[in-house]
PDB file of all heavy atoms in Angstrom:
ATOM      1  N   TRP A  45       0.746  26.296   4.697  1.00 87.00           N
ATOM      2  CA  TRP A  45       0.280  27.456   3.943  1.00 87.00           C
ATOM      3  C   TRP A  45      -0.819  27.085   2.949  1.00 87.00           C
ATOM      4  O   TRP A  45      -1.807  27.775   2.803  1.00 87.00           O
ATOM      5  CB  TRP A  45       1.473  28.076   3.210  1.00 87.00           C
ATOM      6  CG  TRP A  45       1.159  29.333   2.473  1.00 87.00           C
ATOM      7  CD1 TRP A  45       0.735  29.440   1.177  1.00 87.00           C
ATOM      8  CD2 TRP A  45       1.248  30.668   2.964  1.00 87.00           C
ATOM      9  NE1 TRP A  45       0.562  30.748   0.836  1.00 87.00           N
ATOM     10  CE2 TRP A  45       0.871  31.531   1.926  1.00 87.00           C
ATOM     11  CE3 TRP A  45       1.619  31.205   4.193  1.00 87.00           C
ATOM     12  CZ2 TRP A  45       0.868  32.909   2.072  1.00 87.00           C
ATOM     13  CZ3 TRP A  45       1.606  32.575   4.324  1.00 87.00           C
ATOM     14  CH2 TRP A  45       1.226  33.406   3.283  1.00 87.00           C
ATOM     15  N   ARG A  46      -0.640  25.965   2.254  1.00 88.00           N
ATOM     16  CA  ARG A  46      -1.524  25.653   1.136  1.00 88.00           C
ATOM     17  C   ARG A  46      -2.578  24.594   1.415  1.00 88.00           C
ATOM     18  O   ARG A  46      -3.379  24.273   0.542  1.00 88.00           O
ATOM     19  CB  ARG A  46      -0.690  25.195  -0.052  1.00 88.00           C
ATOM     20  CG  ARG A  46      -0.100  23.809   0.151  1.00 88.00           C
ATOM     21  CD  ARG A  46       0.656  23.342  -1.046  1.00 88.00           C
ATOM     22  NE  ARG A  46       0.831  21.908  -0.982  1.00 88.00           N
ATOM     23  CZ  ARG A  46       1.597  21.244  -1.801  1.00 88.00           C
ATOM     24  NH1 ARG A  46       2.259  21.881  -2.748  1.00 88.00           N
ATOM     25  NH2 ARG A  46       1.701  19.952  -1.704  1.00 88.00           N
ATOM     26  N   TYR A  47      -2.599  24.029   2.624  1.00 86.00           N
ATOM     27  CA  TYR A  47      -3.426  22.846   2.862  1.00 86.00           C
ATOM     28  C   TYR A  47      -4.903  23.034   2.503  1.00 86.00           C
ATOM     29  O   TYR A  47      -5.539  22.124   1.996  1.00 86.00           O
ATOM     30  CB  TYR A  47      -3.283  22.353   4.310  1.00 86.00           C
ATOM     31  CG  TYR A  47      -4.216  22.996   5.306  1.00 86.00           C
ATOM     32  CD1 TYR A  47      -5.391  22.379   5.684  1.00 86.00           C
ATOM     33  CD2 TYR A  47      -3.910  24.241   5.859  1.00 86.00           C
ATOM     34  CE1 TYR A  47      -6.250  22.974   6.594  1.00 86.00           C
ATOM     35  CE2 TYR A  47      -4.752  24.828   6.764  1.00 86.00           C
ATOM     36  CZ  TYR A  47      -5.921  24.207   7.130  1.00 86.00           C
ATOM     37  OH  TYR A  47      -6.766  24.796   8.020  1.00 86.00           O
ATOM     38  N   GLN A  48      -5.446  24.230   2.718  1.00 85.00           N
ATOM     39  CA  GLN A  48      -6.874  24.449   2.436  1.00 85.00           C
ATOM     40  C   GLN A  48      -7.163  24.473   0.937  1.00 85.00           C
ATOM     41  O   GLN A  48      -8.269  24.179   0.525  1.00 85.00           O
ATOM     42  CB  GLN A  48      -7.341  25.756   3.050  1.00 85.00           C
ATOM     43  CG  GLN A  48      -7.441  25.687   4.555  1.00 85.00           C
ATOM     44  CD  GLN A  48      -7.942  26.987   5.120  1.00 85.00           C
ATOM     45  OE1 GLN A  48      -7.461  28.060   4.761  1.00 85.00           O
ATOM     46  NE2 GLN A  48      -8.912  26.912   6.002  1.00 85.00           N
ATOM     47  N   ASN A  49      -6.167  24.838   0.155  1.00 87.00           N
ATOM     48  CA  ASN A  49      -6.403  25.010  -1.279  1.00 87.00           C
ATOM     49  C   ASN A  49      -5.861  23.873  -2.126  1.00 87.00           C
ATOM     50  O   ASN A  49      -6.015  23.907  -3.345  1.00 87.00           O
ATOM     51  CB  ASN A  49      -5.768  26.320  -1.745  1.00 87.00           C
ATOM     52  CG  ASN A  49      -6.392  27.507  -1.041  1.00 87.00           C
ATOM     53  OD1 ASN A  49      -7.605  27.583  -0.905  1.00 87.00           O
ATOM     54  ND2 ASN A  49      -5.561  28.407  -0.566  1.00 87.00           N
ATOM     55  N   LYS A  50      -5.217  22.895  -1.502  1.00 90.00           N
ATOM     56  CA  LYS A  50      -4.652  21.830  -2.321  1.00 90.00           C
ATOM     57  C   LYS A  50      -5.084  20.458  -1.812  1.00 90.00           C
ATOM     58  O   LYS A  50      -6.073  19.931  -2.274  1.00 90.00           O
ATOM     59  CB  LYS A  50      -3.128  21.944  -2.398  1.00 90.00           C
ATOM     60  CG  LYS A  50      -2.569  21.040  -3.482  1.00 90.00           C
ATOM     61  CD  LYS A  50      -1.182  21.412  -3.900  1.00 90.00           C
ATOM     62  CE  LYS A  50      -0.761  20.485  -5.040  1.00 90.00           C
ATOM     63  NZ  LYS A  50       0.625  20.540  -5.311  1.00 90.00           N
ATOM     64  N   ASN A  51      -4.374  19.893  -0.843  1.00 85.00           N
ATOM     65  CA  ASN A  51      -4.628  18.502  -0.461  1.00 85.00           C
ATOM     66  C   ASN A  51      -5.184  18.314   0.947  1.00 85.00           C
ATOM     67  O   ASN A  51      -5.202  17.206   1.447  1.00 85.00           O
ATOM     68  CB  ASN A  51      -3.342  17.677  -0.610  1.00 85.00           C
ATOM     69  CG  ASN A  51      -2.900  17.588  -2.051  1.00 85.00           C
ATOM     70  OD1 ASN A  51      -3.715  17.424  -2.948  1.00 85.00           O
ATOM     71  ND2 ASN A  51      -1.612  17.711  -2.283  1.00 85.00           N
ATOM     72  N   GLY A  52      -5.599  19.387   1.603  1.00 86.00           N
ATOM     73  CA  GLY A  52      -6.256  19.287   2.909  1.00 86.00           C
ATOM     74  C   GLY A  52      -5.470  18.484   3.927  1.00 86.00           C
ATOM     75  O   GLY A  52      -4.316  18.781   4.230  1.00 86.00           O
ATOM     76  N   LYS A  53      -6.107  17.442   4.446  1.00 87.00           N
ATOM     77  CA  LYS A  53      -5.542  16.617   5.507  1.00 87.00           C
ATOM     78  C   LYS A  53      -4.160  16.075   5.140  1.00 87.00           C
ATOM     79  O   LYS A  53      -3.256  16.082   5.978  1.00 87.00           O
ATOM     80  CB  LYS A  53      -6.498  15.468   5.811  1.00 87.00           C
ATOM     81  CG  LYS A  53      -5.997  14.498   6.843  1.00 87.00           C
ATOM     82  CD  LYS A  53      -6.975  13.351   7.023  1.00 87.00           C
ATOM     83  CE  LYS A  53      -6.398  12.316   7.965  1.00 87.00           C
ATOM     84  NZ  LYS A  53      -7.233  11.128   8.061  1.00 87.00           N
ATOM     85  N   GLU A  54      -3.996  15.609   3.916  1.00 91.00           N
ATOM     86  CA  GLU A  54      -2.696  15.050   3.529  1.00 91.00           C
ATOM     87  C   GLU A  54      -1.582  16.088   3.637  1.00 91.00           C
ATOM     88  O   GLU A  54      -0.474  15.770   4.073  1.00 91.00           O
ATOM     89  CB  GLU A  54      -2.754  14.485   2.110  1.00 91.00           C
ATOM     90  CG  GLU A  54      -1.459  13.814   1.696  1.00 91.00           C
ATOM     91  CD  GLU A  54      -1.536  13.175   0.334  1.00 91.00           C
ATOM     92  OE1 GLU A  54      -2.221  12.144   0.198  1.00 91.00           O
ATOM     93  OE2 GLU A  54      -0.903  13.717  -0.605  1.00 91.00           O
ATOM     94  N   ASP A  55      -1.850  17.331   3.252  1.00 90.00           N
ATOM     95  CA  ASP A  55      -0.824  18.374   3.372  1.00 90.00           C
ATOM     96  C   ASP A  55      -0.472  18.650   4.831  1.00 90.00           C
ATOM     97  O   ASP A  55       0.694  18.868   5.161  1.00 90.00           O
ATOM     98  CB  ASP A  55      -1.267  19.669   2.691  1.00 90.00           C
ATOM     99  CG  ASP A  55      -0.996  19.660   1.198  1.00 90.00           C
ATOM    100  OD1 ASP A  55      -0.441  18.670   0.693  1.00 90.00           O
ATOM    101  OD2 ASP A  55      -1.321  20.664   0.536  1.00 90.00           O
ATOM    102  N   LEU A  56      -1.455  18.629   5.725  1.00 89.00           N
ATOM    103  CA  LEU A  56      -1.160  18.829   7.141  1.00 89.00           C
ATOM    104  C   LEU A  56      -0.369  17.655   7.708  1.00 89.00           C
ATOM    105  O   LEU A  56       0.523  17.842   8.548  1.00 89.00           O
ATOM    106  CB  LEU A  56      -2.442  19.049   7.944  1.00 89.00           C
ATOM    107  CG  LEU A  56      -3.121  20.396   7.687  1.00 89.00           C
ATOM    108  CD1 LEU A  56      -4.418  20.483   8.483  1.00 89.00           C
ATOM    109  CD2 LEU A  56      -2.205  21.554   8.040  1.00 89.00           C
ATOM    110  N   GLU A  57      -0.661  16.463   7.236  1.00 90.00           N
ATOM    111  CA  GLU A  57       0.117  15.304   7.674  1.00 90.00           C
ATOM    112  C   GLU A  57       1.554  15.401   7.164  1.00 90.00           C
ATOM    113  O   GLU A  57       2.500  15.048   7.875  1.00 90.00           O
ATOM    114  CB  GLU A  57      -0.534  14.011   7.198  1.00 90.00           C
ATOM    115  CG  GLU A  57      -1.823  13.711   7.922  1.00 90.00           C
ATOM    116  CD  GLU A  57      -2.586  12.529   7.365  1.00 90.00           C
ATOM    117  OE1 GLU A  57      -2.292  12.074   6.242  1.00 90.00           O
ATOM    118  OE2 GLU A  57      -3.494  12.063   8.065  1.00 90.00           O
ATOM    119  N   LYS A  58       1.730  15.888   5.938  1.00 92.00           N
ATOM    120  CA  LYS A  58       3.082  16.086   5.408  1.00 92.00           C
ATOM    121  C   LYS A  58       3.818  17.160   6.206  1.00 92.00           C
ATOM    122  O   LYS A  58       5.008  17.013   6.507  1.00 92.00           O
ATOM    123  CB  LYS A  58       3.035  16.448   3.924  1.00 92.00           C
ATOM    124  CG  LYS A  58       2.672  15.275   3.043  1.00 92.00           C
ATOM    125  CD  LYS A  58       2.641  15.675   1.576  1.00 92.00           C
ATOM    126  CE  LYS A  58       2.265  14.498   0.693  1.00 92.00           C
ATOM    127  NZ  LYS A  58       2.270  14.870  -0.728  1.00 92.00           N
ATOM    128  N   ALA A  59       3.127  18.236   6.551  1.00 90.00           N
ATOM    129  CA  ALA A  59       3.747  19.283   7.377  1.00 90.00           C
ATOM    130  C   ALA A  59       4.222  18.694   8.692  1.00 90.00           C
ATOM    131  O   ALA A  59       5.333  18.965   9.146  1.00 90.00           O
ATOM    132  CB  ALA A  59       2.760  20.427   7.622  1.00 90.00           C
ATOM    133  N   GLU A  60       3.383  17.875   9.299  1.00 89.00           N
ATOM    134  CA  GLU A  60       3.750  17.244  10.563  1.00 89.00           C
ATOM    135  C   GLU A  60       4.972  16.334  10.368  1.00 89.00           C
ATOM    136  O   GLU A  60       5.873  16.302  11.215  1.00 89.00           O
ATOM    137  CB  GLU A  60       2.566  16.447  11.094  1.00 89.00           C
ATOM    138  CG  GLU A  60       2.795  15.850  12.448  1.00 89.00           C
ATOM    139  CD  GLU A  60       1.534  15.215  13.012  1.00 89.00           C
ATOM    140  OE1 GLU A  60       0.630  14.832  12.246  1.00 89.00           O
ATOM    141  OE2 GLU A  60       1.466  15.089  14.239  1.00 89.00           O
ATOM    142  N   TRP A  61       5.025  15.596   9.252  1.00 93.00           N
ATOM    143  CA  TRP A  61       6.171  14.729   8.971  1.00 93.00           C
ATOM    144  C   TRP A  61       7.454  15.556   8.900  1.00 93.00           C
ATOM    145  O   TRP A  61       8.474  15.182   9.479  1.00 93.00           O
ATOM    146  CB  TRP A  61       5.951  13.954   7.663  1.00 93.00           C
ATOM    147  CG  TRP A  61       7.008  12.928   7.433  1.00 93.00           C
ATOM    148  CD1 TRP A  61       6.959  11.616   7.797  1.00 93.00           C
ATOM    149  CD2 TRP A  61       8.282  13.129   6.808  1.00 93.00           C
ATOM    150  NE1 TRP A  61       8.125  10.987   7.434  1.00 93.00           N
ATOM    151  CE2 TRP A  61       8.962  11.896   6.826  1.00 93.00           C
ATOM    152  CE3 TRP A  61       8.927  14.217   6.241  1.00 93.00           C
ATOM    153  CZ2 TRP A  61      10.236  11.729   6.296  1.00 93.00           C
ATOM    154  CZ3 TRP A  61      10.200  14.052   5.711  1.00 93.00           C
ATOM    155  CH2 TRP A  61      10.837  12.822   5.748  1.00 93.00           C
ATOM    156  N   TYR A  62       7.388  16.697   8.195  1.00 93.00           N
ATOM    157  CA  TYR A  62       8.575  17.541   8.063  1.00 93.00           C
ATOM    158  C   TYR A  62       8.975  18.182   9.393  1.00 93.00           C
ATOM    159  O   TYR A  62      10.162  18.344   9.677  1.00 93.00           O
ATOM    160  CB  TYR A  62       8.385  18.598   6.973  1.00 93.00           C
ATOM    161  CG  TYR A  62       8.651  18.032   5.600  1.00 93.00           C
ATOM    162  CD1 TYR A  62       7.620  17.748   4.732  1.00 93.00           C
ATOM    163  CD2 TYR A  62       9.952  17.769   5.182  1.00 93.00           C
ATOM    164  CE1 TYR A  62       7.874  17.204   3.476  1.00 93.00           C
ATOM    165  CE2 TYR A  62      10.217  17.235   3.932  1.00 93.00           C
ATOM    166  CZ  TYR A  62       9.173  16.958   3.083  1.00 93.00           C
ATOM    167  OH  TYR A  62       9.433  16.411   1.847  1.00 93.00           O
ATOM    168  N   VAL A  63       8.016  18.540  10.222  1.00 89.00           N
ATOM    169  CA  VAL A  63       8.338  19.065  11.556  1.00 89.00           C
ATOM    170  C   VAL A  63       9.051  17.991  12.362  1.00 89.00           C
ATOM    171  O   VAL A  63      10.065  18.249  13.020  1.00 89.00           O
ATOM    172  CB  VAL A  63       7.068  19.562  12.288  1.00 89.00           C
ATOM    173  CG1 VAL A  63       7.338  19.764  13.776  1.00 89.00           C
ATOM    174  CG2 VAL A  63       6.565  20.847  11.665  1.00 89.00           C
ATOM    175  N   ASN A  64       8.548  16.768  12.300  1.00 90.00           N
ATOM    176  CA  ASN A  64       9.186  15.670  13.035  1.00 90.00           C
ATOM    177  C   ASN A  64      10.589  15.382  12.503  1.00 90.00           C
ATOM    178  O   ASN A  64      11.511  15.131  13.291  1.00 90.00           O
ATOM    179  CB  ASN A  64       8.322  14.413  12.983  1.00 90.00           C
ATOM    180  CG  ASN A  64       7.062  14.553  13.800  1.00 90.00           C
ATOM    181  OD1 ASN A  64       7.010  15.329  14.748  1.00 90.00           O
ATOM    182  ND2 ASN A  64       6.037  13.827  13.430  1.00 90.00           N
ATOM    183  N   LYS A  65      10.765  15.429  11.193  1.00 93.00           N
ATOM    184  CA  LYS A  65      12.093  15.211  10.606  1.00 93.00           C
ATOM    185  C   LYS A  65      13.035  16.339  11.032  1.00 93.00           C
ATOM    186  O   LYS A  65      14.197  16.096  11.375  1.00 93.00           O
ATOM    187  CB  LYS A  65      12.001  15.127   9.078  1.00 93.00           C
ATOM    188  CG  LYS A  65      13.301  14.732   8.416  1.00 93.00           C
ATOM    189  CD  LYS A  65      13.660  13.302   8.777  1.00 93.00           C
ATOM    190  CE  LYS A  65      14.853  12.823   7.979  1.00 93.00           C
ATOM    191  NZ  LYS A  65      15.176  11.423   8.301  1.00 93.00           N
ATOM    192  N   ALA A  66      12.547  17.571  11.021  1.00 90.00           N
ATOM    193  CA  ALA A  66      13.361  18.708  11.468  1.00 90.00           C
ATOM    194  C   ALA A  66      13.747  18.537  12.926  1.00 90.00           C
ATOM    195  O   ALA A  66      14.882  18.822  13.317  1.00 90.00           O
ATOM    196  CB  ALA A  66      12.608  20.026  11.257  1.00 90.00           C
ATOM    197  N   ARG A  67      12.816  18.060  13.741  1.00 87.00           N
ATOM    198  CA  ARG A  67      13.099  17.837  15.165  1.00 87.00           C
ATOM    199  C   ARG A  67      14.207  16.788  15.316  1.00 87.00           C
ATOM    200  O   ARG A  67      15.132  16.965  16.115  1.00 87.00           O
ATOM    201  CB  ARG A  67      11.836  17.378  15.891  1.00 87.00           C
ATOM    202  CG  ARG A  67      12.038  17.173  17.380  1.00 87.00           C
ATOM    203  CD  ARG A  67      10.767  16.727  18.075  1.00 87.00           C
ATOM    204  NE  ARG A  67       9.834  17.832  18.136  1.00 87.00           N
ATOM    205  CZ  ARG A  67       8.574  17.758  17.722  1.00 87.00           C
ATOM    206  NH1 ARG A  67       8.088  16.655  17.216  1.00 87.00           N
ATOM    207  NH2 ARG A  67       7.783  18.800  17.822  1.00 87.00           N
TER     208      ARG A  67
END
Side-chain angles (χ1 to χ4, degrees):
W45 184 270
R46 72 177 198 189
Y47 87 98
Q48 288 182 312
N49 298 316
K50 193 162 183 193
N51 295 319
K53 177 183 175 186
E54 184 176 289
D55 277 358
L56 289 177
E57 289 173 345
K58 287 180 180 182
E60 185 173 24
W61 188 93
Y62 278 105
V63 165
N64 290 335
K65 187 67 172 182
R67 182 180 288 128

